[in-house]
Amino acid sequence: MSRRLAARYVGFIGFLRENGMQVASADGADALRVAEQSGQFDASLLRWNLRALLCSRAEDWRRFDGLFDAYFLPPNRQKTVETHAGGAGHVDLAGEAGGLRDSSDGTPLASAGGTDGDDTDGATAQHGASLDEALGQADFRHLHQPEELQALDALMRQFARRLRLLALRREQLASTGRRIDLARTIRRSIAHGGVPLDLAWRKPRTQRPRLVLLLDVSRSMSLYSFFYLRLARALSLLLTDVHCFLYHTRLIGVAEALRDPDAWRAQERLQLLSAGWAGGTRIGDCLAEFNEHHAGRLLHARSAVIIVSDGYDTGAPQRLVSALVGLRRRARRVVWLNPLASRPGYTPSSAGMQAALPHLDLFAPGSDLASIARVLPQLLQALH
Amino acid sequence: MTSARMHTVLTLQRQLQQLGYVAEPGLAATLLLMTAMGRPLLLEGEAGVGKTEIAKVLAQVHQTRLIRLQCYEGLDAHSTLYEWNYQRQLLAIKLLDDDTRSVAEKEQDIFSERYLLRRPLLEAISSPTPVVLLIDEIDRADEAFEAYLMELLSDFQVSIPELGTIKAVSRPIVILTSNGTRELSDALRRRCLYQYVDYPGFEKELLIVETRLPQMPLQLARQVVEFVQALRQMDLQKKPGIAETLDWAAALLQLGVSRFDEEGLDGIMASLSALVKTQADGASLSRVVVQKLAAAC
């Protein structure tokens, strides 16, 4: 292959990367090999082969043809091409309702949960819940302001690491246990002429639960949403089996966007997903939506669901109850973190919270890292 | 004019269809590429779109054995790779009673290949001729198992503590499938070629029905496929896959339904259980809804 042609393919790898696909440098050499094998004159074959080689996710797969056309075909032969960096992945925007534009921009973490029990709590509560959905987009720059937030990130990573420690080997050797380790027992018995005098045991391990985070990002939660989103990102980057959804009047899956290793691209993708951020809340509806579309896939006997919300719900409490009952049936644990509960004298008096309480494994305060650190032992125990 | 390479792709596509699998040329090209490059292929897509079927039919194309490893939560290396034949080992120890060799030597004897029971992964790499190894629903297995697979997938070798590293006698053709229950690691994805398998479009699904149920009248087959395609647009908990389409079509034939009219509606209602698999989905398909759907086909 000529150097010019080789450069063209290497350029394509760079182009894919610029467009948000995770392509390793090592793929360049393979791409050249594939291009050589496919021949230069059969565009379809080249496309199929490069697609199989360079895509690794459904999201990449859907975008590949457009990117291939954009790079290799002359402009007049291109179809619709997505050139915007960082696709948002599959987002179900069906049922997107119109509503008043909301000016709330999301609040920098520095002012959100920096200190425990600051006087912003009262202000948050006053927002309450409303029916309208904000169509404005949240400002995710706050998700990655490097300097002031580094310390907080480190703490979150620590939290994630402690969670990771819950993952032990499925079955481990033990001095006593429920099941004999036959291989080892036999080895030890050779010296005794096959008499198993010295038994080796195995005991079952406990496993880290799958985490499903459902974060309320309605207006009344705006002071805390970014904090939890950062926590979700820290968890997603450190642990593999974390699934995060945001909800307000609708439910939006953001697991893939949060897991994006490129902070700025993650921010951009969240931006695309954030329509409706800081509007009203319909907790029951959103949880029901989760049950309907995602629970079958995500929840099993090892899943723990963490709901983060202040409990200000504009929907009917009965709806919330039936959704929670549905969740409880499928998941191992359902935990509710309420930022307002960190305030002294807080009682869960809102109708939503009252309705939800009997159906939770743990109800705990959590307005910032300090309060989460305080309930961490309880939380870890509940998640186990 | 088609190039020689394209010709090979189209030949494979035809071959697959003769064996009852309708594939796009893109998939055929990927199957050729995976054998050419010796890389595993990760097939991702909703349940019921025919991922597992690809491995089965590929084994037929290559006229080789299909070794299937069905993944589940808690699957560990032992049950997928090897186990020791404890009964035979115990017997052997008894027989070694009078043996004057040292304990270490006896131990080496007891933990030798003679007492090894091969499980799917070891079986696949020990086969003298390449087999098709299907690692089905890898997303159901734990991350630990996924990590354990890396060595096999990139170097085609496995490590057994008592025996050391065992290299593949022949390189198996590896197909992994995933329904997307759990996010797979980047490391695993990087080692594989990738193909996303979507629900088929109308023409393709019709061709599948025609291929699998040649006795079905064309008009009925069209209506069946149109009905299923419309159903997939609905907000169902469990969308019907290709297997469901085929089951349903067969059920309709059994019930003697020949047309989607008022007369056939009873048969359609009676056979819906072949198509929808949850109580909620069944409840959402009332007679009126089905009537409307059927009328539009």
Side-chain angles (χ1 to χ4, degrees):
Chain A
M1 189 180 287
S2 74
R3 281 185 64 171
R4 213 173 126 238
L5 213 49
R8 183 111 174 100
Y9 286 108
V10 172
F12 182 54
I13 304 278
F15 177 71
L16 292 180
R17 210 176 288 138
E18 275 166 30
N19 279 279
M21 272 177 60
Q22 282 183 39
V23 190
S25 307
D27 290 330
D30 283 334
L32 288 181
R33 204 147 65 90
V34 162
E36 246 171 343
Q37 271 181 9
S38 312
Q40 306 305 310
F41 306 108
D42 216 322
S44 307
L45 196 57
L46 185 67
R47 175 197 301 266
W48 298 329
N49 284 346
L50 287 179
R51 186 173 60 184
L53 178 74
L54 300 172
C55 292
S56 58
R57 286 185 164 72
E59 191 187 336
D60 300 345
W61 183 263
R62 293 193 188 98
R63 297 174 59 222
F64 185 85
D65 279 349
L67 294 170
F68 183 91
D69 287 352
Y71 189 83
F72 286 110
L73 294 188
N76 59 348
R77 290 185 55 203
Q78 289 172 17
K79 292 181 230 148
T80 323
V81 177
E82 189 181 356
T83 48
H84 188 80
H90 174 72
V91 186
D92 184 12
L93 288 175
E96 188 173 340
L100 291 173
R101 181 163 281 273
D102 191 291
S103 59
S104 45
D105 232 9
T107 309
L109 182 61
S111 61
T115 54
D116 187 26
D118 56 17
D119 56 8
T120 51
D121 282 342
T124 317
Q126 280 164 21
H127 281 303
S130 62
L131 274 170
D132 61 314
E133 174 173 320
L135 290 180
Q137 293 200 329
D139 186 350
F140 288 94
R141 274 173 310 177
H142 307 312
L143 201 58
H144 291 290
Q145 284 178 347
E147 306 83 13
E148 54 178 318
L149 301 168
Q150 260 172 8
L152 210 47
D153 261 355
L155 276 171
M156 284 183 180
R157 275 196 298 276
Q158 230 172 45
F159 172 49
R161 264 196 294 275
R162 284 187 66 177
L163 260 180
R164 190 156 57 173
L165 285 180
L166 286 179
L168 307 168
R169 292 174 54 198
R170 176 162 282 268
E171 204 168 46
Q172 53 199 6
L173 278 174
S175 49
T176 56
R178 286 210 309 240
R179 211 164 74 85
I180 292 176
D181 185 334
L182 268 176
R184 271 168 216 275
T185 304
I186 284 178
R187 175 167 303 175
R188 289 178 188 177
S189 72
I190 293 172
H192 311 296
V195 183
L197 291 176
D198 192 5
L199 295 179
W201 296 93
R202 301 183 78 82
K203 70 173 184 189
R205 68 174 185 180
T206 36
Q207 251 190 314
R208 179 169 61 78
R210 165 179 290 168
L211 285 186
V212 177
L213 292 136
L214 300 169
L215 308 182
D216 183 342
V217 293
S218 61
R219 189 186 301 132
S220 61
M221 281 287 291
S222 59
L223 290 175
Y224 310 104
S225 304
F226 273 95
F227 163 71
Y228 276 105
L229 205 56
R230 290 181 66 79
L231 184 62
R233 179 161 157 82
L235 290 177
S236 303
L237 289 177
L238 283 165
L239 309 172
T240 46
D241 211 1
V242 177
H243 305 260
C244 184
F245 292 81
L246 306 183
Y247 67 91
H248 33 78
T249 50
R250 284 180 294 110
L251 183 82
I252 308 144
V254 292
E256 288 217 7
L258 284 179
R259 203 170 278 119
D260 198 319
D262 182 327
W264 298 107
R265 206 169 57 217
Q267 171 190 316
E268 202 170 43
R269 291 168 70 164
L270 286 167
Q271 206 88 49
L272 286 168
L273 292 164
S274 71
W277 178 274
T281 340
R282 282 198 288 265
I283 309 176
D285 288 342
C286 291
L287 296 189
E289 195 180 332
F290 174 81
N291 282 342
E292 202 170 315
H293 298 291
H294 307 282
R297 189 169 57 89
L298 290 178
L299 299 187
H300 51 42
R302 214 160 46 73
S303 305
V305 181
I306 302 182
I307 301 168
V308 177
S309 174
D310 54 11
Y312 286 116
D313 190 5
T314 52
Q318 198 44 45
R319 179 90 170 137
L320 178 58
V321 169
S322 63
L324 278 174
V325 168
L327 269 183
R328 271 290 280 281
R329 214 171 25 226
R330 285 178 186 260
R332 181 182 173 81
R333 296 279 187 267
V334 179
V335 170
W336 189 304
L337 296 178
N338 186 336
L340 301 187
S342 300
R343 289 188 300 165
Y346 169 85
T347 46
S349 55
S350 67
M353 218 53 261
Q354 280 292 331
L357 276 176
H359 306 281
L360 304 175
D361 293 297
L362 174 72
F363 174 73
S367 59
D368 54 25
L369 208 65
S371 59
I372 288 203
R374 268 200 298 279
V375 296
L376 196 60
Q378 260 177 295
L379 189 62
L380 291 176
Q381 201 181 3
L383 294 180
H384 231 292
Chain B
M1 201 187 79
T2 47
S3 68
R5 288 185 182 92
M6 192 55 140
H7 185 72
T8 330
V9 171
L10 297 176
T11 309
L12 177 63
Q13 191 194 13
R14 254 198 315 277
Q15 228 176 331
L16 291 172
Q17 193 171 340
Q18 277 160 7
L19 293 166
Y21 193 89
V22 180
E24 278 102 9
L27 173 62
T30 306
L31 293 176
L32 285 172
L33 184 68
M34 72 177 286
T35 26
M37 292 185 80
R39 291 260 284 259
L41 171 64
L42 172 63
L43 296 169
E44 217 169 16
E46 297 285 331
V49 290
K51 302 185 294 293
T52 304
E53 210 60 31
I54 295 175
K56 289 184 186 166
V57 77
L58 196 64
Q60 283 180 276
V61 168
H62 288 278
Q63 294 183 327
T64 183
R65 248 180 346 136
L66 171 76
I67 295 181
R68 178 177 179 169
L69 173 66
Q70 173 66 50
C71 297
Y72 55 86
E73 229 197 304
L75 185 70
D76 61 357
H78 273 287
S79 42
T80 60
L81 196 61
Y82 71 95
E83 260 170 317
W84 292 105
N85 190 338
Y86 299 122
Q87 286 88 343
R88 283 199 62 196
Q89 279 181 321
L90 282 171
L91 203 63
I93 295 171
K94 279 283 164 210
L95 293 174
L96 286 176
D97 254 358
D98 302 328
D99 201 317
T100 50
R101 284 184 296 170
S102 70
V103 171
E105 279 172 322
K106 283 183 191 174
E107 194 177 304
Q108 207 174 18
D109 192 33
I110 297 294
F111 287 95
S112 64
E113 281 209 47
R114 243 188 314 160
Y115 302 97
L116 199 65
L117 294 174
R118 291 169 202 283
R119 296 293 178 227
L121 295 183
L122 190 58
E123 185 78 39
I125 63 165
S126 317
S127 167
T129 51
V131 296
V132 173
L133 170 64
L134 167 64
I135 302 175
D136 215 3
E137 305 193 35
I138 175 73
D139 51 331
R140 285 182 188 273
D142 303 332
E143 294 139 29
F145 179 69
E146 198 183 303
Y148 173 79
L149 267 184
M150 301 294 179
E151 188 187 5
L152 179 82
L153 295 184
S154 49
D155 302 328
F156 290 92
Q157 63 178 40
V158 291
S159 307
I160 296 181
E162 295 89 350
L163 296 177
T165 305
I166 297 182
K167 274 194 180 302
V169 180
S170 62
R171 202 172 252 223
I173 301 165
V174 187
I175 290 194
L176 300 104
T177 73
S178 161
N179 294 338
T181 323
R182 176 171 68 77
E183 179 66 12
L184 302 174
S185 71
D186 284 340
L188 181 81
R189 289 177 185 277
R190 258 203 312 278
R191 282 168 173 79
C192 302
L193 295 179
Y194 182 85
Q195 175 92 20
Y196 185 78
V197 189
D198 218 338
Y199 286 115
F202 176 78
E203 292 300 332
K204 184 179 166 188
E205 192 158 22
L206 184 61
L207 193 57
I208 294 171
V209 174
E210 282 176 335
T211 314
R212 293 295 188 89
L213 297 166
Q215 72 276 30
M216 192 165 216
L218 181 62
Q219 179 57 25
L220 182 61
R222 292 191 80 90
Q223 288 184 315
V224 164
V225 174
E226 264 180 48
F227 189 94
V228 175
Q229 297 260 332
L231 215 55
R232 288 199 193 115
Q233 303 303 314
M234 284 176 63
D235 198 9
L236 294 182
Q237 275 183 359
K238 165 86 184 71
K239 291 189 173 131
I242 298 168
E244 278 79 28
T245 309
L246 292 169
D247 280 354
W248 188 50
L252 289 175
L253 279 180
Q254 281 277 321
L255 291 167
V257 176
S258 56
R259 272 198 312 274
F260 275 31
D261 51 13
E262 195 52 45
E263 209 178 297
L265 195 61
D266 288 333
I268 295 178
M269 289 308 290
S271 58
L272 275 181
S273 58
L275 207 51
V276 289
K277 302 293 167 139
T278 73
Q279 196 221 346
D281 288 349
S284 65
L285 289 178
S286 62
R287 200 177 168 89
V288 182
V289 173
V290 173
Q291 200 170 17
K292 272 191 193 158
L293 278 174
C297 295

